[in-house]
Amino acid sequence: MYLPAVTGLVVLFLLWIKVKGLDYVIVHQRWIFVCLFLLPLSVIFDVYYYVRAWLIFKMCSAPKLHDQRVRDIQRQVREWRKDGSKTYMCTGRPGWLTVSLRVGKYKKTHKNIMINMMDILEVDTKRQVVRVEPLANMGQVTALLTSIGWTLPVLPELDDLTVGGLVMGTGIESSSHIYGLFQHICVAFELVLADGSLVRCTEEENPDLFHAVPWSCGTLGFLVAAEIKIIPAKPWVKLRYEPVRGLENICKRFTEASEDKQNSFVEGLQYSRDTAVIMTGTLTDHAEPDKINRIGLHFKPWFFKHVEGYLKGDYAGVEYIPLRQYYHRHTRSIFWELQDIIPFGNNPIFRWLFGWMVPPKISLLKLTQGETIRRLYEQHHVVQDMLVPMKNLQDAITRFHQDIDVYPLWLCPFLLPPGRGMVHPKGQEEELYVDIGAYGEPKVKHFEAKASTRQLEKFVRDVHGFQMLYADVYMNREEFWEMFDGQLYHRLRDELGCKEAFPEVYDKICKSARH
């Protein structure tokens, strides 16, 4: 009885696609494609990698396989040299697999070095470090560490973010006001260099390379392992929600919360220029049963919508959230990006029936977006993280409002220590910064992607801030090296023979340099 009806619906759907064209459906009714194909594929993808990682770690075979894989990378690099070093090298990981919205065209012209390294190698609770391969992701790491009572001091939000991406780029979380960026919790990097040699670098051993690797985007060598600090975990986060009104009040209250080291976590969601909810959290062993909220369950409202309820109701509140669910609170809705892909995704019926499959993998969204959607996103969508000194927060939010008018804005404070790498404060003292994340469709009239982003970039340079390099960067070379300190980076590229082996970071990531 039901089979003919279902078959009929499928036939009608396929006829509709044939009449309208696949491009039309993917662009204008993308949710159909996402719900029918990408969500089930994403579940299969996740299950495979989770089971694989668990089996390998339990069987203790990862270290043995790791050494073998490192030797294979060294062999590929030496072969490239033997063949005359005709083109630059890059990792062989397809561009669509990365979390960055940018699809690097250089993958087609550079020598692809295959790096199949996605395992957690060792958890050393005595030294309080975890040793991981570059393609191990945050979902894997949290699942393993929290199960044995440990966690990373800075655990960036999305499950699919890899250790390699966070080391070579950067990463941040609401604990960064205490611990700094992801690079600041790393204690050692292991790299295969342009000559095929394997080198380990720490604060004491090859310290220049240790400081130069973060933000270098794979242009100094191939990361093959990283050692990262771990700290004891507690099962719950006691989270306080505080709605705040008025831009000056928001900035004042957010700064105070960020300076208070008693807060394990600090985060702000800004819903308009003059309204925000500021959240402060502390780790705790016990929870009040009537205040527990398991926000990670598939049928729960998207976190940013849940937070907005405190603003609309104009009341403060306290909840206890399981630690791992807190870490990945924005994962199910990809912050708030999923509302543009599945407009009814936060509907209770959809959440109950299909919420367990959400979110679709960002990599699969990229793989299937096509040139039309990519151009539309580029021109009518903003995904940017700008890092500015906390003292300039009010001016920065005003600038974001004028230039792009995208809400919510994500506010995440972080401590930036002095250093000699690409990113450090202007002086020799540590300084409190804030990451302003803008993800969505600009509401400002006459938005033009290049011009508007360049205005934001200029403001950020003027206040000695930084732009995260996963996003579209429109600066020219001179402006880029005005924003970032390239002194150590360029010296090491000369010393390590990188100029013939890897493109300069600017040429790899900036739109005006890419072909």
Side-chain angles (χ1 to χ4, degrees):
M1 181 180 174
Y2 292 109
L3 188 59
V6 171
T7 306
L9 285 171
V10 170
V11 170
L12 283 173
F13 176 63
L14 292 173
L15 283 172
W16 180 65
I17 290 177
K18 188 175 180 182
V19 171
K20 289 289 189 180
L22 188 59
D23 262 6
Y24 175 89
V25 174
I26 288 177
V27 172
H28 297 284
Q29 306 292 337
R30 199 179 184 199
W31 63 268
I32 297 175
F33 183 73
V34 169
C35 291
L36 290 181
F37 299 103
L38 295 195
L39 288 182
L41 276 175
S42 298
V43 172
I44 294 167
F45 212 76
D46 276 339
V47 169
Y48 167 73
Y49 279 107
Y50 180 82
V51 171
R52 179 189 175 280
W54 185 84
L55 284 173
I56 286 176
F57 193 80
K58 287 294 181 186
M59 291 163 63
C60 299
S61 59
K64 191 186 298 180
L65 292 174
H66 173 76
D67 293 341
Q68 182 182 316
R69 288 193 289 252
V70 170
R71 286 193 295 272
D72 184 58
I73 293 163
Q74 292 178 290
R75 176 191 58 77
Q76 293 178 69
V77 172
R78 286 171 183 144
E79 282 180 4
W80 166 83
R81 290 174 65 84
K82 189 178 174 183
D83 291 343
S85 313
K86 294 169 188 171
T87 62
Y88 289 137
M89 291 184 289
C90 67
T91 64
R93 191 184 188 211
W96 60 269
L97 270 175
T98 64
V99 172
S100 167
L101 296 182
R102 187 174 57 243
V103 178
K105 295 181 181 177
Y106 60 85
K107 297 277 186 183
K108 296 175 183 176
T109 57
H110 294 181
K111 168 67 176 174
N112 281 215
I113 304 297
M114 302 311 295
I115 299 178
N116 183 30
M117 310 181 82
M118 54 186 71
D119 296 318
I120 299 169
L121 300 173
E122 180 187 8
V123 179
D124 187 336
T125 54
K126 286 185 179 177
R127 289 177 55 226
Q128 296 200 1
V129 295
V130 60
R131 184 167 173 252
V132 294
E133 291 182 327
L135 296 184
N137 66 40
M138 290 300 100
Q140 268 176 273
V141 172
T142 49
L144 180 75
L145 288 181
T146 53
S147 71
I148 56 174
W150 293 83
T151 186
L152 298 182
V154 176
L155 208 152
E157 170 65 37
L158 300 177
D159 276 1
D160 291 342
L161 292 169
T162 63
V163 168
L166 294 166
V167 167
M168 292 294 186
T170 195
I172 192 170
E173 187 37 89
S174 53
S175 55
S176 288
H177 67 295
I178 298 172
Y179 297 103
L181 298 171
F182 189 83
Q183 69 201 61
H184 301 124
I185 64 165
C186 295
V187 295
F189 303 130
E190 297 168 40
L191 297 103
V192 172
L193 301 180
D195 62 358
S197 63
L198 176 65
V199 65
R200 173 183 162 88
C201 55
T202 67
E203 281 281 8
E204 293 77 33
E205 184 182 1
N206 301 307
D208 284 350
L209 184 58
F210 180 73
H211 284 275
V213 163
W215 294 77
S216 66
C217 298
T219 59
L220 292 172
F222 295 110
L223 184 73
V224 293
E227 287 184 15
I228 309 164
K229 292 176 190 172
I230 58 174
I231 57 173
K234 293 184 179 181
W236 301 95
V237 174
K238 182 180 182 181
L239 194 63
R240 301 165 189 83
Y241 303 86
E242 180 187 349
V244 186
R245 299 179 189 276
L247 181 56
E248 192 175 330
N249 285 338
I250 292 167
C251 296
K252 181 174 180 290
R253 183 68 195 93
F254 186 74
T255 303
E256 290 170 353
S258 304
E259 289 172 343
D260 185 356
K261 297 299 193 293
Q262 296 301 310
N263 293 321
S264 307
F265 307 101
V266 178
E267 173 184 33
L269 295 187
Q270 185 137 0
Y271 291 91
S272 72
R273 197 183 72 154
D274 292 303
T275 59
V277 177
I278 293 170
M279 287 159 279
T280 54
T282 50
L283 290 164
T284 178
D285 286 311
H286 305 288
E288 299 174 45
D290 59 331
K291 293 181 180 177
I292 290 174
N293 185 2
R294 299 182 187 276
I295 58 172
L297 296 176
H298 72 273
F299 53 83
K300 289 284 188 174
W302 289 346
F303 185 68
F304 79 97
K305 287 292 188 185
H306 171 64
V307 174
E308 192 176 15
Y310 288 94
L311 185 65
K312 288 180 174 177
D314 199 24
Y315 61 91
V318 174
E319 290 182 332
Y320 292 82
I321 299 171
L323 177 63
R324 186 161 187 255
Q325 293 185 16
Y326 173 79
Y327 279 139
H328 299 291
R329 62 200 177 282
H330 294 298
T331 294
R332 286 192 300 127
S333 56
I334 317 178
F335 281 84
W336 28 95
E337 291 278 59
L338 199 56
Q339 66 183 349
D340 293 332
I341 299 168
I342 308 176
F344 48 83
N346 195 45
N347 181 282
I349 296 171
F350 180 86
R351 292 199 313 263
W352 272 98
L353 294 177
F354 305 109
W356 58 276
M357 290 195 285
V358 166
K361 304 291 281 185
I362 294 173
S363 52
L364 294 179
L365 288 170
K366 281 173 65 178
L367 180 64
T368 58
Q369 70 182 2
E371 192 61 25
T372 309
I373 289 180
R374 192 195 62 75
R375 283 199 308 268
L376 281 171
Y377 261 69
E378 194 172 288
Q379 291 304 317
H380 305 289
H381 200 85
V382 168
V383 179
Q384 291 285 348
D385 280 86
M386 298 293 190
L387 317 180
V388 299
M390 185 68 79
K391 62 191 177 190
N392 300 110
L393 177 58
Q394 187 167 336
D395 291 339
I397 291 172
T398 302
R399 190 81 220 198
F400 270 70
H401 183 80
Q402 291 170 353
D403 289 346
I404 57 174
D405 193 12
V406 169
Y407 293 99
L409 291 174
W410 189 53
L411 305 180
C412 185
F414 68 97
L415 196 64
L416 189 61
R420 55 187 191 274
M422 283 176 62
V423 170
H424 56 77
K426 202 167 188 177
Q428 293 304 308
E429 300 292 324
E430 64 182 23
E431 187 173 350
L432 197 58
Y433 272 63
V434 58
D435 174 5
I436 304 175
Y439 325 117
E441 190 176 330
K443 300 296 189 292
V444 70
K445 289 180 181 177
H446 313 302
F447 172 79
E448 205 282 308
K450 182 176 180 179
S452 299
T453 306
R454 280 187 57 77
Q455 283 179 304
L456 278 180
E457 288 170 345
K458 183 181 185 308
F459 170 82
V460 172
R461 286 197 308 276
D462 289 345
V463 299
H464 196 71
F466 309 94
Q467 180 177 15
M468 282 201 187
L469 300 182
Y470 76 86
D472 285 333
V473 178
Y474 291 90
M475 291 180 282
N476 62 37
R477 195 179 304 272
E478 185 182 345
E479 291 166 340
F480 182 85
W481 290 117
E482 180 189 334
M483 178 180 283
F484 297 99
D485 183 351
Q487 191 174 344
L488 178 63
Y489 171 79
H490 289 302
R491 177 165 67 78
L492 282 177
R493 274 177 62 80
D494 282 334
E495 291 176 7
L496 299 175
C498 297
K499 287 191 169 182
E500 296 75 35
F502 308 104
E504 185 186 301
V505 62
Y506 175 81
D507 294 311
K508 191 172 181 179
I509 61 98
C510 287
K511 289 187 76 69
S512 55
R514 281 184 280 131
H515 304 289

